[in-house]
Amino acid sequence: MSDGRVRAAVLGGAGYIGGELVRLLVGHPHVQLATVTSTRLGGRRVDSVHPNLRGATDLTFTAPADLGRHDVVLVATPHLRDAAEMAGVLERAAVVIDLTADHRLTDPAAYVRHYGTEHPAPDLLGTFCRGLPESHREQLRTADRVSVPGCMATAAILALGPLVADGLVDGTLSVDARTGSSGSGATSGDAGRHAERAGTMRVFAPAGHRHAAEIEQALGHQVAMSATGVEAVRGVQVLCRAATRAPVTERDLRASYRRHYAAEPFVRVVARSRGLYRQPEPKILSGSNFCDVGFAALPELDIVVAIAALDNLMKGGAGNAVQCMNIRFGWPETSGLEFLGLHPV
């Protein structure tokens, strides 16, 4: 540690998630951000790629090979690249928090099934704690390896978690996810170009998405998932449907959600009868670490609808990682994450 602060690095800092990590860590009261790596931009100033950071940091990008020793490394490299290099990263950091998809699943066969390739280091699968404080807070307090869930998976798990935990639902869970363009990353190719993205509601995963595997692993139910890209930059919203074991009223649902999330600093129960924002809406969550969850009941059909919204780069990524880091090092869980979002935007 340096001057009482934890020495941190961001591995893969040129992307959108990497930029959010840098933004959060340069203002974090307990962290000295020492290194930000990029394979392409070594020597360039970090704020030349992330202009919102002008005046906040003088750091330049470092080659990954020059990472050095750190107390904590937060990994935001492209998927699979991280898996092949993780052994080396683990040798150079006391704590590693991985934001890629490479260590989210515990079963090598499931990884092959959902990602279409063998995992480069299957022995590492199952050695990472799930980076979701709402379900793994106690494990995170001592975890040296943390894998942050995907953005749509996080939203769905938080939306459906209370219903599963209380035994209110049964059978296959349906998850319909909508996501903004930043979810494709800074190098998304043609699909992310404004001329192709603007004005569309593009169903890019009509019957199956990789995040379904994470939801199944977390909740123990089969998941049918679809995903649609919408004309927004930030944000994820999921509408989840499930059959109930018995008729369930909205009063029952409210009691379940409030009981599970009453003490959670970043989950808010939002299910109101009137107003523009009576159900979770990602627009007002931009830049914040909140996940808003809501619900509706169809007792005549024995079906419930669970809704969640979050900023995919924050509670769906960098913010969730920092929340996990705060727990691991024993700091207040909200440190560096106090931003409330903006309205109007």
Side-chain angles (χ1 to χ4, degrees), residues 9-13 15-28 31 33 36 50 53 73-77 97-99 148 313-314 317-322 325:
V10 173
L11 188 62
Y16 293 143
I17 289 282
E20 283 294 85
L21 287 170
V22 175
R23 177 177 72 86
L24 294 172
L25 295 179
V26 295
H28 197 289
V31 172
L33 180 60
V36 181
H50 305 298
L53 301 180
V73 172
L74 299 99
V75 182
T77 55
I97 301 177
D98 185 11
L99 289 89
V148 176
L313 300 181
M314 282 294 295
N320 206 25
V322 171
M325 180 187 69

Side-chain angles (χ1 to χ4, degrees), residues 15-78:
Y16 293 143
I17 289 282
E20 283 294 85
L21 287 170
V22 175
R23 177 177 72 86
L24 294 172
L25 295 179
V26 295
H28 197 289
H30 305 294
V31 172
Q32 177 203 12
L33 180 60
T35 307
V36 181
T37 76
S38 170
T39 56
R40 298 179 296 109
L41 304 175
R44 285 184 56 180
R45 288 179 60 98
V46 170
D47 61 10
S48 70
V49 177
H50 305 298
N52 57 316
L53 301 180
R54 290 170 181 161
T57 179
D58 293 325
L59 284 169
T60 58
F61 288 110
T62 299
D66 299 326
L67 177 63
R69 290 287 305 175
H70 294 79
D71 300 306
V72 58
V73 172
L74 299 99
V75 182
T77 55

Side-chain angles (χ1 to χ4, degrees), residues 149-174:
C151 53
M152 289 181 281
T154 294
I157 292 166
L158 293 176
L160 290 163
L163 307 180
V164 172
D166 288 348
L168 298 178
V169 296
D170 199 8
T172 299
L173 308 175
S174 172

Side-chain angles (χ1 to χ4, degrees), residues 37-274:
T37 76
S38 170
T39 56
R40 298 179 296 109
L41 304 175
R44 285 184 56 180
R45 288 179 60 98
V46 170
D47 61 10
S48 70
V49 177
H50 305 298
N52 57 316
L53 301 180
R54 290 170 181 161
T57 179
D58 293 325
L59 284 169
T60 58
F61 288 110
T62 299
D66 299 326
L67 177 63
R69 290 287 305 175
H70 294 79
D71 300 306
V72 58
V73 172
L74 299 99
V75 182
T77 55
H79 305 315
L80 287 179
R81 181 190 302 171
D82 166 43
E85 300 174 355
M86 179 55 71
V89 176
L90 291 170
E91 294 176 354
R92 287 179 280 180
V95 176
V96 173
I97 301 177
D98 185 11
L99 289 89
T100 77
D102 294 337
H103 301 97
R104 293 171 181 167
L105 301 183
T106 59
D107 179 7
Y111 187 92
V112 172
R113 187 162 62 252
H114 289 277
Y115 287 90
T117 185
E118 296 282 345
H119 194 280
D123 56 309
L124 290 179
L125 294 179
T127 69
F128 282 70
C129 175
R130 183 175 297 127
L132 191 61
E134 292 76 15
S135 61
H136 285 66
R137 183 172 281 106
E138 290 308 310
Q139 297 94 318
L140 286 167
R141 296 190 195 282
T142 57
D144 292 336
R145 302 176 182 182
V146 176
S147 177
V148 176
C151 53
M152 289 181 281
T154 294
I157 292 166
L158 293 176
L160 290 163
L163 307 180
V164 172
D166 288 348
L168 298 178
V169 296
D170 199 8
T172 299
L173 308 175
S174 172
V175 177
D176 178 16
R178 300 90 184 265
T179 181
S181 59
S182 62
S184 301
T187 56
S188 59
D190 290 345
R193 287 191 292 117
H194 179 75
E196 301 296 338
R197 183 93 183 198
T200 66
M201 291 184 285
R202 181 171 292 120
V203 181
F204 62 88
H209 189 280
R210 290 169 175 173
H211 287 190
E214 298 176 54
I215 305 167
E216 291 177 346
Q217 180 176 270
L219 300 181
H221 283 251
Q222 188 175 49
V223 172
M225 183 173 181
S226 61
T228 300
V230 298
E231 190 175 1
V233 175
R234 290 177 182 248
V236 160
Q237 183 186 65
V238 295
L239 271 70
C240 311
R241 296 172 179 84
T244 58
R245 295 178 182 273
V248 175
T249 68
E250 293 203 358
R251 178 176 294 182
D252 299 326
L253 296 175
R254 191 176 301 276
S256 176
Y257 280 93
R258 284 184 170 174
R259 182 171 62 258
H260 282 276
Y261 292 136
E264 290 298 337
F266 292 114
V267 180
R268 305 184 298 194
V269 180
V270 179
R272 301 179 179 180
S273 59
R274 59 177 61 89

